[in-house]
Structures are given as C-alpha cells and as structure tokens.
Amino acid sequence: MSQLYITPERLLTYQDIYTDEVLQALEALAPLNAKQKALMEERNQRRADRIANKTLLDFLPEETCIGPDHLRVADIRLGDFECSTIPEDLQRQWIQGTGPAAKPNAPLESSIRNVAYALLSGADGWMFDGEDALGQINAMSLDNQRNLKLAINRDSKFLEIAEKVSREMNKWSESFFGKPIIDDWKAQLDFTTLIFRARGLHLDDRHIAMENGESFSASITDLTLFVVNNYKALQAKGSSIVLYLPKIQTAQEAAFWNTLLSTLETHLGLAKGTIKCYVLVEQLEATYQLLEIRAALGLHFVGFNTGRWDYINAVADAMCGIDDFINPNIESITMTYAYMGAYEDRVRKAVNTPDQNGNFSLWQGGMEPNIPVGSEAGVKASMEKALAGAKREQAAGASGKWVAHWKMVHIIRPVWEKIGETNQLGREFGPLTYTQEDQLALITLEDAPLTIRGGRNLLSVALQYGNAFLQGFQAAALKPADFFGNDDILYLME
C-alpha cells in the first residue's frame, strides 16, 4: 500500500476483512483523509469561538453554498434539491433495533450471538453499531465487521449459533407472551433489513494510519470495510446497502460524507446513490441545518432519526459558554420538553418537505431504552410507559421507532401494526421557517426540577457507564444508584 500503513498483526489476523478489494478501496479513499482532518479543525474552532464570544447558533445565511456542488441555501429552502426515493426494504421500518455485532474479549461463538438475536428479533431493521454501542478496545471494530460478514454470507458457524439462539428466544417468549416469536428460524433471518452505523468524523481508526504517520479516519475505514466486504452479497439478496451516519454537525460535513459515498461507489462501479443513509440528528448545530444536510447527501439520503440522551448532552455542550443555560434533572427533559419538542418538530417538517421530484424522506423515532427484566410490577409499569412513548411518536408522525433490546421488539411493534400504515411519508406538518423565534425555540428551557438528587443520578450513571466502557461494553444497562436493589425500577439500556 502506497498511502496507508496497517498493523501487520491485524493484516494477518483479519485477512478475511482486509481483503485485496478492501485495501484497494481504502487506497482510493485515502486522499480524502486530509479533508476530514480540516473539517474537524473547523468544528473545534467554531466551538471555541462560540464559547469565547458567548454566541448562539443560528440558521445558515441564504447565500451560503454547500459542498463541491455549491448547493445554495436559498435554493434548497425552495425545494431545489434531489434526494433518494425510498427503497422497498426501507419503506416499512416500524421497529429498528440497535446494538453492536460483537462482544468484548469474547470468542466468535459467543460474540456472533449478538447478530443472531438481532436478525431473529422480528425487527423491521437492525442498526449494527460500529460507534456508540461498540467498545473501541483491542480489535472490536474488526470483530464487528467479521461477524456481520459471516452473518450476511450465512456462514455455517453463524447458522449453527442462530439455530441455538432461536430456541432460547422462543423459550423466553413462551414464558413472557405465552407463545413463540419464531416459527421458521432460517426464514426469519431474512426478515430484518441489516443497517450499519459507521463511526463519526471525529474518530480515528486504531489499526490504520497514513504512511506519514498521520491518523486515519474511522469513518472512511468503517464505510469501506462494511460496503466492500458485503455489497455483493447484499445486492444478490435484493437488499439495500444502508448506513446510519452519526454526529454530523453541519451541512458541509454531510457534503463530505456524500463525497465519501460517491467516491466509493465510483471505485466499485456502483451507480450513484446505491448506498443509502440515515442521519442521526444528535447535534444542536445540525438541527439548524436539517434541510441543507438532507440536500447535501442527495441521492444517498433516506431519513433522519431523533434521539434523546445524546441530543440533550449535545445541547449542553453547544451551550456551555452561556452561563445561565442550565438543564434541569434529566428525567424532566422528555421529548415534549421545550427545546426537545422544537427539535422534533423541525425534523418531521424537514423530512416532509418535498424535493424537486416530490420525494419525501423518513423520520425514525427515538430510542426506547427499557428492558423487560425486573419485578412483575416494575416490568408492567415500564412497558406501559414504553408503549405510551411509542404511541406518542407514531401520532407525531414518526414512521417507526428504535429499541435497545430484542425483547422489546414484539412489545412495541404492535403500536405500528395496529395503525397499519407502511410509513408516514409526506404527512403535512407545515413549512420549515427560519425566524428568530425558531432559532430561540431550539434552546428554550422550561421550569422543571433542578435538584441535588438529579445531579447525584448523573454522577451515578456516569460512574456505571465509565466502568462498563473501560471493559469494552459501550451498551450498558444502568439506573440511578438511589434505586439499586429496587426491582420495581428497571435498568435502562444506554
């Protein structure tokens, strides 16, 4: 390789992942690494300037041009842009699950069970996480890729594990629902659309560097390894190649992702727009540029996802220079809380704004972190709360929802099954506007408890998560220390 250096030990141990085709594609995308570094420098400088000057985020000026195609903001807001039509296997995504495809320090037989649980869950889609929920220790990012490749290609090792897992899942289901959830385990494996979340632009890969010693983008790495290793098998099944893109803050960053996707498609001889992507709206800055992000990703873009926990933290970070911006206790910041409601409203309006061809995009609702493990009373109360949240999001216009555990799929999915609509594309919510009132709504606080207990809970969760994180478990079941030993209060997956 002329531009890149990969640790020899990893090259040898993961020859099935670092194939010749993958290495050639990495070389083709390597020149884009410098742009990733520049974008992250710009991101850090914007944040430093906001803190120093105590300035607020705002919408882009209409004369701004975005990306190498010089998309003009004023034109985008008039609908002069083109996004993707929704592929058949993404049109109904009532429930998407999320979690990593690997476990830390685990043999293949144990690690790949994660994929089996996901693909047998009955979820319409499953986002296999290479970022937030995947431990970034040792070679976990490569184990994650290996497990997905084995599952997509229906390797005999995976099928053997999947059959065992299906029996375990049915045993649980018979005790919880009084009936099995899997009839034909082999057929069930093909029900769920497989989606991959690459690492964000802020992260570097630990196994690859530029020949000059400069760090190499984890986003380029994950995109290349997942797509190149699996696109032929996915296309042979008639499945879409789908990514979730995390932590995007600006339309310029989205345009860079568009360049990455298009460059890889050209290298592989794929038509432009073959690779589809959702964007997780996790950053306050991104919420000021939603339509522009959608336009910048063009034919690759299929939808936005809204979340709660990450977004609350991103708001706090974006506002850290404003002395009087103090969030209340986090349990008070629900999706109907002042700035959260404004965020959700802009997302649903952005996806239901037609492009120049009349196409709309999807809105996937936020995470349901409950896990049905605890006392009978605790599970009953938590499941009622989870169902109420799902019903609210469905009524608000979401085409589906996320769950953090396979056991939640058949608890939440009936909310959408009862309505029966494939999706809510094009539902009317009124136009996006860009007034000062809109600007301030996205950072508006409302009266809610702000107590020592709330601060103590945050510290407790931080310590628990830090403990899990250092062991390689970036998806962990947590609850406030005040309720340890109380099975009526369930652990939540974070």
Side-chain angles (χ1 to χ4, degrees), residues 81 83 290-298 301 350-351 353 359-361:
F81 66 93
C83 64
L290 291 172
L291 206 58
E292 294 86 349
I293 288 171
R294 185 179 166 212
L297 282 160
F301 183 86
V351 296
T353 299
N359 292 323
F360 303 99
S361 300

Side-chain angles (χ1 to χ4, degrees), residues 47-57 318-324:
R47 182 178 186 274
D49 290 344
R50 285 199 305 271
I51 294 171
N53 301 317
K54 297 187 180 298
T55 53
L56 301 178
L57 289 164
M319 297 294 289
C320 68
I322 309 301
D323 296 338
D324 59 354

Side-chain angles (χ1 to χ4, degrees), residues 33-309:
N33 191 61
K35 178 63 174 176
Q36 179 255 344
K37 296 289 180 289
L39 284 169
M40 293 305 95
E41 288 179 12
E42 292 170 13
R43 178 191 285 188
N44 292 334
Q45 189 59 54
R46 287 195 309 277
R47 182 178 186 274
D49 290 344
R50 285 199 305 271
I51 294 171
N53 301 317
K54 297 187 180 298
T55 53
L56 301 178
L57 289 164
D58 203 348
F59 303 111
L60 292 172
E62 289 195 339
E63 63 273 15
T64 304
C65 289
I66 296 165
D69 294 331
H70 303 289
L71 300 170
R72 191 165 162 266
V73 168
D75 297 329
I76 292 170
R77 292 176 184 171
L78 292 173
D80 188 11
F81 66 93
E82 186 176 16
C83 64
S84 174
T85 56
I86 308 302
E88 184 177 353
D89 56 352
L90 292 178
Q91 288 185 11
R92 188 193 67 198
Q93 290 290 300
W94 290 336
I95 298 296
Q96 290 179 353
T98 177
K103 299 176 183 178
N105 304 313
L108 176 66
E109 292 75 13
S110 173
S111 182
I112 206 168
R113 288 168 65 89
N114 281 16
V115 188
Y117 280 118
L119 295 184
L120 292 168
S121 68
D124 301 278
W126 196 279
M127 185 197 75
F128 290 97
D129 201 349
E131 200 223 21
D132 274 8
L134 181 76
Q136 304 296 328
I137 63 168
N138 303 328
M140 274 196 77
S141 63
L142 297 173
D143 293 333
N144 206 50
Q145 296 279 359
R146 172 177 281 167
N147 289 356
L148 289 174
K149 185 174 182 179
L150 290 171
I152 289 168
N153 285 276
R154 298 295 186 260
D155 184 89
S156 59
K157 296 175 189 174
F158 170 71
L159 293 176
E160 180 182 346
I161 296 299
E163 183 177 14
K164 294 178 182 177
V165 165
S166 70
R167 292 196 294 268
E168 295 172 15
M169 294 173 77
N170 273 340
K171 184 177 180 180
W172 171 83
S173 175
E174 285 165 355
S175 67
F176 193 87
F177 293 115
K179 62 180 181 180
I181 55 174
I182 302 167
D183 295 324
D184 181 337
W185 68 270
K186 284 188 176 180
Q188 187 67 37
L189 289 172
D190 292 322
F191 178 82
T192 300
T193 303
L194 191 147
I195 308 169
F196 177 68
R197 171 157 70 171
R199 284 172 288 179
L201 294 174
H202 61 297
L203 295 173
D204 294 319
D205 192 75
R206 69 169 59 224
H207 308 299
I208 306 178
M210 300 294 288
E211 273 290 352
N212 63 7
E214 186 178 62
S215 59
F216 189 68
S217 168
S219 300
I220 296 176
T221 300
D222 284 356
L223 164 66
T224 304
L225 266 59
F226 176 74
V227 173
V228 178
N229 275 313
N230 301 302
Y231 77 99
K232 292 176 183 175
L234 289 169
Q235 288 188 320
K237 296 178 183 181
S239 300
S240 298
I241 306 163
V242 194
L243 304 172
Y244 260 103
L245 306 181
K247 307 297 187 292
I248 289 173
Q249 293 195 13
T250 67
Q252 297 291 3
E253 293 177 7
F256 176 67
W257 267 110
N258 191 61
T259 298
L260 290 179
L261 299 171
S262 297
T263 302
L264 183 58
E265 287 167 340
T266 299
H267 175 77
L268 296 175
L270 301 173
K272 185 176 181 180
T274 296
I275 303 170
K276 303 302 182 187
C277 64
Y278 288 89
V279 170
L280 294 109
V281 186
E282 301 173 274
Q283 302 291 316
L284 176 60
E285 190 170 12
T287 311
Y288 287 93
Q289 302 183 28
L290 291 172
L291 206 58
E292 294 86 349
I293 288 171
R294 185 179 166 212
L297 282 160
L299 295 174
H300 299 109
F301 183 86
V302 293
F304 284 126
N305 160 262
T306 48
R308 176 176 169 266
W309 178 267

Side-chain angles (χ1 to χ4, degrees), residues 343-358:
Y343 150 63
E344 183 179 89
D345 186 56
R346 290 199 74 83
V347 169
R348 67 182 183 178
K349 286 177 177 176
V351 296
N352 287 295
T353 299
D355 72 356
Q356 63 193 29
N357 299 315

Side-chain angles (χ1 to χ4, degrees), residues 59 288 342 346 432-442:
F59 303 111
Y288 287 93
R346 290 199 74 83
L432 276 172
T433 53
Y434 300 87
T435 65
Q436 185 179 33
E437 183 181 357
D438 296 323
Q439 177 204 10
L440 296 178
L442 289 168

